[in-house]
């Protein structure tokens, strides 16, 4: 079986995205509050970019969007920032690393533009937290959401950020690590067959 492919989201994809999202909501309660207008929820705030994962039959099985955030008024020289949002993978397509693949697509987009990425996740979303931490996101603090759970209770959020692969310090560190690894493996006779 061919794995799902990731491509830019098109306007015609929204119904398929909502079908996948309904399955995710039924299984995982994401989003915590089902939106009154799911089409609008996926479209707003207007994403700088959005992608979908599509299986070989043409069914949408995953989604992620990146929303640009306004520059902070008190940090005029801060790097541009965008938020990863609306990340979901249909239950039937789990175990194929689509969450990681969609996040990687968002990081690649951000790296190419010198944009710093952030995200927020419901604090008790253990699977999502594990995915973000496994894929290199760094915990940056907690807060209480401006919205409430369906029962009216407050919602705790965890904030994450990820360093850009385009960050010069990170790139230099990775180059030095690769060079050192290359030097230390020179002359090695280890076989990988």
């Amino acid at each position: 079986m061919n794995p799902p492919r990731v491509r830019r989201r098109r306007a015609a994809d929204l119904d398929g995205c909502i079908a996948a999202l309904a399955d995710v909501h039924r299984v995982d309660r994401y989003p915590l509050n089902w939106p009154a207008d799911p089409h609008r929820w996926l479209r707003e705030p207007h994403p700088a970019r959005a992608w979908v994962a599509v299986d070989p039959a043409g069914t949408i099985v995953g989604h992620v969007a990146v929303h640009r955030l306004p520059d902070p008024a008190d940090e005029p020289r801060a790097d541009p920032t965008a938020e990863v949002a609306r990340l979901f993978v249909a239950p039937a397509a789990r175990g194929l690393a689509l969450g990681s693949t969609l996040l990687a697509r968002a990081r690649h987009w951000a790296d190419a533009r010198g944009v710093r990425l952030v995200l927020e996740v419901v604090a008790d979303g253990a699977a999502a937290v594990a995915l973000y931490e496994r894929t290199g996101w760094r915990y940056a603090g907690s807060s209480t959401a401006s919205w409430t759970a369906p029962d009216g209770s407050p919602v705790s959020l965890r904030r994450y950020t990820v360093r850009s692969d385009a960050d010069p310090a990170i790139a230099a560190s990775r180059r030095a690590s690769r060079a050192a690894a290359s030097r230390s493996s020179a002359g090695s006779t280890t076989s990988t067959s």
Side-chain angles (χ1 to χ4, degrees), residues 30 63-65 84-88 99-100 102-104 107 118-122 125-139 158-162:
Y30 175 81
H63 179 273
V64 69
V84 170
R86 316 304 194 239
L87 173 63
F88 56 89
S100 299
L102 289 162
L103 285 171
R107 281 181 79 167
V118 298
L119 64 81
E120 289 184 328
V121 61
V122 174
V129 166
L131 169 66
Y132 299 134
E133 292 180 356
R134 184 175 62 247
T135 56
W137 290 77
R138 184 176 52 87
Y139 174 71
R158 292 175 62 94
R159 288 186 314 278
Y160 284 87
T161 186
V162 67

Side-chain angles (χ1 to χ4, degrees), residues 45 61 121 146 173 176 178 191:
V61 294
V121 61
S146 60
S173 172
R178 282 192 296 269
S191 172

Side-chain angles (χ1 to χ4, degrees), residues 16-128:
C17 290
I18 291 167
L21 183 63
D23 287 343
V24 171
H25 181 72
R26 188 172 47 259
V27 171
D28 300 325
R29 289 187 30 188
Y30 175 81
L32 189 58
N33 297 305
W34 184 255
D37 182 349
H39 284 90
R40 184 176 182 176
W41 186 79
L42 284 170
R43 288 190 323 261
E44 294 181 358
H46 181 71
R49 191 64 51 99
W51 300 269
V52 292
V54 182
D55 73 9
T59 303
I60 301 209
V61 294
H63 179 273
V64 69
V66 177
H67 301 240
R68 286 211 186 251
L69 297 177
D71 294 331
D74 58 341
E75 295 180 42
R77 294 168 37 123
D79 291 336
T81 303
E83 178 180 32
V84 170
R86 316 304 194 239
L87 173 63
F88 56 89
V89 173
R94 297 202 178 144
L96 302 173
L98 289 177
S100 299
T101 301
L102 289 162
L103 285 171
R105 185 64 59 101
R107 281 181 79 167
H108 178 76
W109 175 88
D111 289 346
R113 289 156 183 79
V115 173
R116 186 172 65 96
L117 289 177
V118 298
L119 64 81
E120 289 184 328
V121 61
V122 174
D124 64 359

